[in-house]
C-alpha cells in the first residue's frame, strides 16, 4: 500500500516532466569548469555552465591547502555538536572573520545555508511571542520551511514590492514584533531587491530585517561581503545570512547579527544545537576562502566583466536572457518543460555542455529556463561555443529567439 501511494506521486512527477534526474559530473580539480560524466580515460570533458561555485574557489590552491593541512592535523570529522565535543578553534576564527566581514558583532556557523535559514527563522519566530513575519513571495525553500515550522502569522508580500510591503506593515500595531525576510539576489531570476527601501520601512514600522545574501557573498561589495555591504547599509540590516557553498566554494551556512541575537540563536535554535558541527577541515577551508576574497578582487572583477561579454554574445545571437536579470545570474527563457529537459540532454550529449533544465515547481510553468552562470574560469572561446550551441538547440527544438517574441520577458 505504501509503495503504491509513493509510486503514484512519482508517476505524476514524471508525467508533468518534473521528475528530477541527476547527471553525474566528476569535476576535474585544476581544470574548472571542466568535468567528466563517466570518470574514464580519454573521455571528452564537459563544460559546466550552471555551477554555484561562482568564483571557482572550490579549486583555489589556498583553500585546498588549508583543507589538506586541517585534515592532517585534526582528521576527517568534528566529533560532535558544537556543545558536545565538536568545537575546534577554527570556528571562533571563522565566526570572527564572518562578523567582521558583515560589520556585525557576532556570527554563527551552521552545516548548510539551508539549515541556517531554517533554524534561525524557526528559533526567532518562537522566541518573539505573537511575532508576524513578512516574507517576499519568491523567498527560498529554506526560508519558507523555517517559517512554516512555527505558528507565526505570515504575510507574503509581492516580489520586491515595497508598496505592498508597506501596506501590510501599516496594518499592524507598532509594538507587535515583526520580521521582514528577503534575499538580496534572487537565484532563479537574477534580480536584486530594494534593500535600502525595505530597511527604511523596517525602521518606520519597528520591524527586524533578515537578509539572505547567499547568491551575493564573495561576488559583490568592495570586499565581497555582499550587496548590503556594497551599498554601505549593512548596519541597517539586523541579520545577514549567507552560505559558504557558492561564492566561497566549500559548504556551510551562517548568520551574522548583534551579540544578543546570535547568543539567542546559539542558545535556543534546535537546528543548531542538535546537529554535528562541520568538520574542522571544512571550517579551515571556508576561513581561508573568505580571508582570501576579502582582499583579492580579481575573481569578482572577472566574473562581472565576463558576465557582460556573455550577455553581448547572447544578445547578438538572439538568445533570450530574461529582463529580470541584474546580476551574474543569467536566466535564459525556454518556456516549456519538456523542451527544456530535452534541450539540456542534447547540449550534454552533442556539445559536451552541461546546463541543467530549471522547470516547475522551481520556477512557474511557462517560464522554464536555463540558469547560466559564467565564472572567472570560462574562456572567450567557451562563451562562443556555448552561444553557437544554444543557437542550434533553439532552432532544433523550435524555442523562440528574442527577436521572435511578441512581449518582453
Ligand atoms: C536563496 C538561498 N538561500 C539559501 C540556500 C541554501 O544554501 P545552501 O546551498 O548552502 O544550503 C540557497 C541554495 O541554493 C538559496 O538559493
Amino acid at each position: 500500500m505504501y509503495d503504491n501511494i509513493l509510486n503514484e506521486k512519482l508517476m505524476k512527477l514524471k508525467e508533468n516532466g518534473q521528475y528530477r534526474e541527476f547527471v553525474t559530473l566528476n569535476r576535474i580539480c585544476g581544470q574548472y569548469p571542466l568535468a567528466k560524466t563517466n570518470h574514464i580515460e580519454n573521455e571528452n570533458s564537459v563544460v559546466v555552465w550552471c555551477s554555484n561555485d561562482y568564483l571557482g574557489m572550490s579549486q583555489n590552491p589556498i583553500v585546498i591547502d588549508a583543507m589538506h593541512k586541517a585534515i592532517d592535523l585534526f582528521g576527517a570529522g568534528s566529533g560532535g555538536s558544537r556543545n558536545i565535543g565538536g568545537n575546534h578553534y577554527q570556528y571562533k576564527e571563522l565566526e570572527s572573520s564572518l562578523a567582521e566581514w558583515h560589520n556585525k558583532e557576532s556570527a554563527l556557523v551552521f552545516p548548510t545555508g539551508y539549515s541556517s535559514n531554517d533554524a534561525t527563522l524557526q528559533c526567532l519566530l518562537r522566541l518573539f511571542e505573537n511575532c508576524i513575519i513578512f516574507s517576499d513571495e519568491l523567498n527560498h525553500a529554506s526560508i519558507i520551511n523555517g517559517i512554516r515550522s512555527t505558528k507565526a502569522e505570515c504575510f507574503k508580500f509581492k516580489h520586491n514590492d515595497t508598496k505592498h510591503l508597506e501596506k501590510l506593515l501599516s496594518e499592524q500595531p507598532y509594538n507587535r514584533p515583526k520580521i521582514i525576510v528577503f534575499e538580496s539576489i534572487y537565484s532563479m531570476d537574477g534580480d536584486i531587491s530594494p534593500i535600502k527601501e525595505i530597511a527604511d520601512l523596517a525602521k518606520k514600522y519597528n520591524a527586524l530585517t533578515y537578509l539572505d545574501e547567499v547568491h551575493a557573498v564573495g561576488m559583490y561589495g568592495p570586499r565581497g561581503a555582499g550587496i548590503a555591504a556594497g551599498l554601505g547599509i549593512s548596519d541597517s540590516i539586523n541579520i545577514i545570512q549567507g552560505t559558504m557553498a557558492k561564492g566561497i566554494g566549500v559548504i556551510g551556512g551562517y548568520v551574522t547579527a548583534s551579540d544578543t541575537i546570535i547568543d539567542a540563536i546559539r542558545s535556543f535554535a534546535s537546528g543548531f544545537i542538535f546537529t554535528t558541527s562541520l568538520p574542522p577541515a571544512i571550517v579551515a577551508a571556508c576561513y581561508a576562502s573568505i580571508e582570501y576574497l576579502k582582499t583579492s578582487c580579481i575573481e569578482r572583477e572577472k566574473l562581472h566583466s565576463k558576465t557582460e561579454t556573455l550577455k553581448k554574445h547572447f544578445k547578438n545571437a538572439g538568445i533570450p536572457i530574461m529582463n529580470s536579470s541584474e546580476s551574474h545570474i543569467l536566466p535564459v527563457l525556454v518556456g516549456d518543460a519538456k523542451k527544456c529537459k530535452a534541450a539540456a540532454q542534447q547540449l550534454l550529449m552533442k556539445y559536451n555542455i552541461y546546463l541543467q533544465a530549471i522547470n516547475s515547481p522551481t520556477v512557474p510553468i511557462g517560464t522554464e529556463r536555463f540558469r547560466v552562470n559564467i565564472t572567472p574560469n570560462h574562456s572567450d572561446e567557451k562563451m562562443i561555443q556555448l552561444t553557437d550551441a544554444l543557437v542550434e538547440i533553439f532552432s532544433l527544438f523550435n524555442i523562440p529567439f528574442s527577436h521572435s517574441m511578441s512581449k518582453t520577458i
Side-chain angles (χ1 to χ4, degrees):
M1 175 183 99
Y2 298 107
D3 273 3
N4 286 346
I5 296 170
L6 298 179
N7 279 328
E8 233 173 73
K9 306 254 179 219
L10 288 167
M11 193 60 90
K12 268 203 188 123
L13 274 187
K14 286 179 189 166
E15 279 165 13
N16 299 338
Q18 293 175 351
Y19 185 67
R20 294 170 206 261
E21 276 158 303
F22 297 151
V23 174
T24 303
L25 279 180
N26 305 296
R27 307 168 88 213
I28 312 164
C29 188
Q31 292 180 41
Y32 189 64
L34 299 187
K36 296 203 177 210
T37 50
N38 289 313
H39 204 45
I40 51 172
E41 249 181 76
N42 302 326
E43 177 199 346
N44 283 333
S45 23
V46 166
V47 184
V48 178
W49 274 103
C50 54
S51 175
N52 283 341
D53 185 6
Y54 294 127
L55 299 172
M57 290 304 288
S58 74
Q59 300 189 7
N60 180 297
I62 292 172
V63 177
I64 294 173
D65 189 45
M67 196 181 260
H68 274 304
K69 282 191 177 133
I71 288 189
D72 289 343
L73 281 172
F74 306 108
S78 80
S81 65
R82 287 290 289 281
N83 202 33
I84 307 183
N87 189 40
H88 282 72
Y89 78 91
Q90 284 104 335
Y91 282 99
K92 203 169 170 206
E93 228 174 41
L94 177 59
E95 286 170 348
S96 301
S97 170
L98 287 165
E100 187 273 334
W101 205 25
H102 289 289
N103 208 16
K104 297 279 171 220
E105 289 172 353
S106 282
L108 194 66
V109 167
F110 289 75
T112 63
Y114 188 104
S115 64
S116 59
N117 275 336
D118 190 33
T120 302
L121 287 165
Q122 185 196 73
C123 171
L124 293 178
L125 291 174
R126 287 182 182 173
L127 289 177
F128 295 124
E129 215 174 295
N130 198 26
C131 187
I132 321 181
I133 181 121
F134 299 87
S135 174
D136 187 289
E137 65 180 345
L138 292 191
N139 275 339
H140 187 255
S142 53
I143 294 174
I144 297 168
N145 209 55
I147 297 170
R148 282 196 184 148
S149 65
T150 71
K151 294 193 177 111
E153 197 173 353
C154 175
F155 288 103
K156 274 194 211 163
F157 60 94
K158 287 185 197 142
H159 180 51
N160 281 346
D161 186 337
T162 46
K163 281 210 179 80
H164 188 220
L165 175 61
E166 174 149 28
K167 182 177 177 296
L168 295 172
L169 283 164
S170 67
E171 286 163 0
Q172 297 302 326
Y174 183 82
N175 281 328
R176 188 171 171 190
K178 304 170 202 78
I179 301 175
I180 304 170
V181 57
F182 61 116
E183 303 177 18
S184 58
I185 298 181
Y186 284 85
S187 70
M188 291 302 146
D189 295 302
D191 55 337
I192 298 178
S193 61
I195 301 178
K196 184 173 177 325
E197 289 79 352
I198 292 179
D200 288 346
L201 286 178
K203 200 166 174 206
K204 183 169 168 192
Y205 293 98
N206 189 29
L208 280 183
T209 40
Y210 183 107
L211 177 64
D212 175 321
E213 289 252 37
V214 156
H215 294 281
V217 286
M219 281 84 63
Y220 293 83
R223 294 196 309 149
I227 304 277
L231 295 170
I233 55 168
S234 304
D235 287 353
S236 56
I237 301 294
N238 300 97
I239 301 155
I240 297 181
Q241 179 270 350
T243 184
M244 296 175 289
K246 303 188 195 293
I248 311 306
V250 193
I251 194 165
Y254 64 86
V255 286
T256 62
S258 66
D259 284 337
T260 308
I261 290 178
I262 295 299
D263 200 22
I265 300 164
R266 193 186 70 82
S267 307
F268 293 105
S270 168
F272 171 78
I273 299 169
F274 300 106
T275 192
T276 302
S277 59
L278 284 173
I282 298 287
V283 180
C286 290
Y287 176 74
S289 181
I290 290 165
E291 286 297 304
Y292 174 85
L293 287 172
K294 282 182 184 177
T295 54
S296 176
C297 298
I298 185 85
E299 290 77 13
R300 36 187 173 269
E301 280 169 10
K302 275 193 183 171
L303 174 79
H304 298 307
S305 72
K306 286 184 181 226
T307 300
E308 288 312 309
T309 311
L310 185 61
K311 272 185 180 169
K312 277 187 201 137
H313 283 304
F314 281 3
K315 206 169 167 213
N316 292 340
I319 301 297
I321 299 174
M322 293 170 73
N323 283 337
S324 54
S325 174
E326 304 171 77
S327 64
H328 61 288
I329 296 170
L330 303 181
V332 168
L333 185 69
V334 175
D336 178 290
K338 289 199 172 120
K339 282 186 186 178
C340 201
K341 214 168 169 185
Q345 264 161 8
Q346 186 79 358
L347 280 170
L348 189 62
M349 303 312 290
K350 186 167 171 205
Y351 301 91
N352 290 317
I353 284 173
Y354 175 61
L355 260 181
Q356 181 61 44
I358 311 282
N359 285 347
S360 157
T362 309
V363 294
I365 290 172
T367 71
E368 292 80 1
R369 65 195 74 170
F370 293 128
R371 178 179 174 274
V372 180
N373 296 326
I374 198 161
T375 73
N377 301 45
H378 287 86
S379 63
D380 287 350
E381 191 194 348
K382 289 201 168 43
M383 289 192 224
I384 292 165
Q385 280 167 4
L386 172 69
T387 312
D388 291 347
L390 283 173
V391 168
E392 287 185 28
I393 288 283
F394 268 53
S395 303
L396 182 70
F397 287 96
N398 212 5
I399 300 167
F401 285 89
S402 42
H403 38 76
S404 65
M405 286 175 180
S406 50
K407 55 180 177 131
T408 53
I409 47 166

